[in-house]
């Protein structure tokens, strides 16, 4: 008889637990709607504060990347984007490998930038063909870099000259 009583108790406990679970599942949660409406999804920041933006073509993903850049780097991103747009009307934009890319339709990509911990790195894919050659060397024989640190003055005239020259060269095709 003791076995029957234990089985009955266990069965009753299971039924009660199932009813509690069903009641919880059926009951709407008021806090869920509030937290979802307040939940603004901000892109994750990868190493060095580089925003994680999904690969996509167009201006919108590039603007999302720039908006997600941390601190002073956001201003640098805005200035770079505006300078490229002014210098190369009709420039093509995309985000690839968590970096904004700029190119000419049918010619390929000529420039990209990327956030690192202490600087923003601008990559000119045919940088060795630019005059003067940008200062940062690369493992790739054609690519040259310009690193922009927080307190660096930005020589917009030189940068615009490089952007214009780079946009007129055959771009990097992927």
């Amino acid at each position: 008889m003791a076995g029957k009583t234990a089985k009955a108790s266990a069965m009753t406990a299971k039924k009660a637990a199932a009813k509690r679970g069903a009641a919880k599942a059926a009951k709407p949660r008021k806090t869920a709607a509030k937290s979802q409406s307040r939940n603004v999804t901000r892109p994750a920041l990868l190493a060095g504060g580089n925003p994680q933006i999904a690969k996509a073509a167009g201006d919108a993903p590039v603007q999302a990347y720039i908006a997600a850049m941390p601190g002073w780097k956001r201003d640098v991103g805005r200035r770079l984007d505006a300078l490229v747009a002014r210098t190369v009307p009709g420039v093509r934009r995309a985000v690839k490998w968590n970096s904004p890319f700029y190119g000419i339709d049918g010619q390929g990509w000529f420039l990209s930038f990327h956030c690192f911990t202490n600087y923003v790195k601008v990559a000119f894919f045919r940088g060795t063909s630019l005059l003067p050659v940008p200062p940062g060397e690369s493992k790739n024989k054609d690519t040259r870099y310009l690193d922009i640190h927080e307190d660096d003055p930005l020589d917009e005239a030189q940068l615009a000259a490089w952007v214009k020259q780079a946009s007129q060269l055959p771009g990097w095709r992927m």
Side-chain angles (χ1 to χ4, degrees):
M1 264 204 149
K4 285 186 179 183
T5 308
K7 283 184 184 179
S9 302
M11 206 153 173
T12 305
K14 281 184 184 179
K15 284 181 183 179
K19 281 184 183 179
R20 282 192 304 269
K24 277 186 179 179
K27 191 175 184 180
R29 299 185 78 187
K30 292 180 183 177
T31 56
K34 287 181 184 177
S35 65
Q36 286 174 351
S37 66
R38 281 188 254 149
N39 186 11
V40 177
T41 50
R42 301 236 348 129
L45 295 180
L46 303 171
N50 193 53
Q52 184 176 19
I53 302 291
K55 178 181 173 182
D59 185 51
V62 171
Q63 296 311 316
Y65 177 95
I66 292 168
M69 291 171 75
W72 62 270
K73 296 172 193 173
R74 185 176 309 119
D75 184 48
V76 170
R78 285 185 188 128
R79 289 175 69 186
L80 288 170
D81 184 68
L83 186 140
V84 172
R86 266 193 324 271
T87 308
V88 185
V91 70
R92 182 175 162 214
R93 294 176 174 98
V95 171
K96 297 173 181 289
W97 300 290
N98 297 309
S99 296
F101 278 67
Y102 298 83
I104 303 292
D105 244 348
Q107 293 183 15
W109 305 104
F110 62 86
L111 178 141
S112 177
F113 62 87
H114 191 89
C115 287
F116 286 90
T117 303
N118 297 316
Y119 58 96
V120 175
K121 181 178 285 293
V122 181
F124 294 96
F125 300 123
R126 300 281 185 241
T128 55
S129 298
L130 305 179
L131 295 174
V133 175
E137 293 183 10
S138 172
K139 292 177 186 175
N140 181 310
K141 67 180 181 79
D142 294 327
T143 303
R144 294 295 285 205
Y145 299 114
L146 173 67
D147 295 344
I148 304 170
H149 296 83
E150 184 173 8
D151 296 323
D152 288 351
L154 191 58
D155 185 349
E156 288 198 20
Q158 180 60 68
L159 195 52
W162 281 330
V163 168
K164 184 173 179 108
Q165 291 175 55
S167 70
Q168 295 171 346
L169 295 170
W172 184 39
R173 297 187 188 267
M174 330 182 199

